[in-house]
Every structure is written in C-alpha cells, then in structure tokens.
Amino acid sequence: MTTRKMILDVDTGVDDAMAITYALADPNVELIGILSSFGNIEADRAAANALKLLQLYQCPQVPVFIGRANPLDHQYQRIAVNAQIHGENGIGDVNLPAATAQIAKQNGVDFLIDAAQKYGEQLCVVTTGPMTNLAAAFAKDPVAIRKIGNITVMGGALTVPGNVTPVAEANVEQDPVAANQLFTSDLKITMVGLDVTLRTLLTKQETSQWRTCNPTAGAKLADIVDFYIDVYDEIYPELGGCSLHDPLAVGVAIDPSFVTTIPLNLLVTTEHDAYYARTIGDKARLNEPTNLNVAVGVDRERYLNVFMKLFLDFLEKLN
C-alpha cells in the first residue's frame, strides 16, 4: 500500500485521541498536520490536547493548527464542552504534561488549502468533528479542495437514530450548514456514520493490553479511553463497550474494505425544527450521479484486530 499524506481535522475528545493514535501508528500514513475545531471542546483546547498527545507519542514534528472556532450557522451556535462524554478537559479528565511544541501560527483552513494544492491526489483528509473547516476551505478555494484524493468524514446517521437527537448525529448537529454544503457539493466523500461506528466496540479487555505493553504512554491512553468506556456502560449499556467512531473513519480512509458502502446523494436538514441536522437521501438528486459513499456495513472483527495490532506495535516501539 502506498504511503499517503493525511490531515486529521479533530475536536480532540476521547475518540479523536484514538484517531490520532491510529494515524500515527499506521505505517501507511504520514500525518502531515492536525487541524482543530470546536465540538467536544473549544477549538483552542482541542489543539492543545492534540499537542499533548503528540508529545506523549514522541511525535512533536507533526504541526497542529487551529481552524474555525464557531459553526457556519451563526443563528444556532451551540458550543459547549461535552463533559459528560469526554470529561471537562476533553480527554477523560486525564492530565497530560503540557506540550513543549507550539500551535502553528497559520490558520488551519489556509493550511488545508495549501496542502491540497501541494499534494492533490496524494492527500487524505479525515474529519472527526464538525465539518466546518473543510466547508470553509471549500468555499474559499474550491479548485484546491477538489484536488484532494480522499475525503472521509465521521458523521451522520442514515439507518440508525442519532446520538444527540432522534435524528441527529453529534458532529453533523454541531454544524449542519457545513455538512449540508459538503454533502450537496461535487466533492467525493465517504461518510462513516453511526450506522457502522456503533457496531465497532472496544472494552477494558483491550485497553488493559495497552497498559501492559507500555506503562507510560499506553497507560495514559488506557486511562483516557477507560473514562469513555465507563460513560458508555452508563449511557449505552446495551452496546457492551465504547464505540470507535473516529478511529474507524481513519481506518476506512486507509483501507476502504473495512466497510461496505452505498452510493447516495444526501442532504442535511438545516431548518430549525424537529428534523434539524438529519442526514437523509436527497430526493431532488435521486437519479443524478452520486458524490457520496455511505458506509452501512463493517467488518468489525477484522477492523478491531488491525486496530489492536497497530496500537500495540506502536506503543511497544515507544518503550
């Protein structure tokens, strides 16, 4: 497999931390930058969390940029720390040492545009928070963003209920205007939503292996994720573990065969009613060429095996 250059666009909560770990652990990826956005936590603190994780993993060379701090939908700004799910600090209330590296001065949206122009088809962009940065970059320079070879987004819910409202998934709900602009554009996008991420689960049986493998970085990562698992045990006891939302999107961006997809033109409801932020098929474009591949099935056992091997190999090398 050819090594691909990847940008992660994160709102660094617990599963974003696993997404960053996955991108660093996979030898087929060169992580060239991390953008932060609002979502699980404010954009500046999301960037700080990313820097701390990079330091924990001895990867200070990866630059971190702050992107948009607010949604495109200025009429309905709902930016609050998702402390119930991710902790007050976004990473399970686990304290990581302050990073010595600094946040890059360039705006994250401009970095994304520059990278698209420079790398084109070689570039893979994975969003694991609101799609605001990508939508803003597309609005500013659509020619450059159309050059990106792979755009994979964690967001949406087509065949299952939402996790914020009965119809809305959290990342889309944070900025449905941005999501709708992208989903109704001509950009080729793979949507990795709750349809597949809710089936891909992690338990403390797996995180305990990280502690054994690496008593420093592995133990810190396990502490972060165990917080998340405890939350899931309370809120979603029927699942039997925590969902691997964001790291699954990274995995699919690298190896699309982890999921089965259907081609479908989607839209996102942006009216402020009971269907706000719903992802649904676009009736007006049913017979038009599709720009979106929606993941609806997942090879969860193979994915988890790859996930764990990558993480354990990576943590072992850090010893």
Side-chain angles (χ1 to χ4, degrees), residues 127 131 153-157 169 171-172 183 191-195 279:
T127 71
M131 300 172 210
V153 302
M154 190 282 121
E169 180 276 330
N171 288 336
V172 171
F183 286 0
M191 181 182 113
V192 179
L194 299 182
D195 313 272
T279 49

Side-chain angles (χ1 to χ4, degrees), residues 40 80-90 93 227 231:
N40 293 322
V81 177
N82 199 348
Q84 180 187 14
I85 306 298
H86 297 273
E88 291 290 345
N89 71 350
D93 289 334
F227 177 96
V231 169

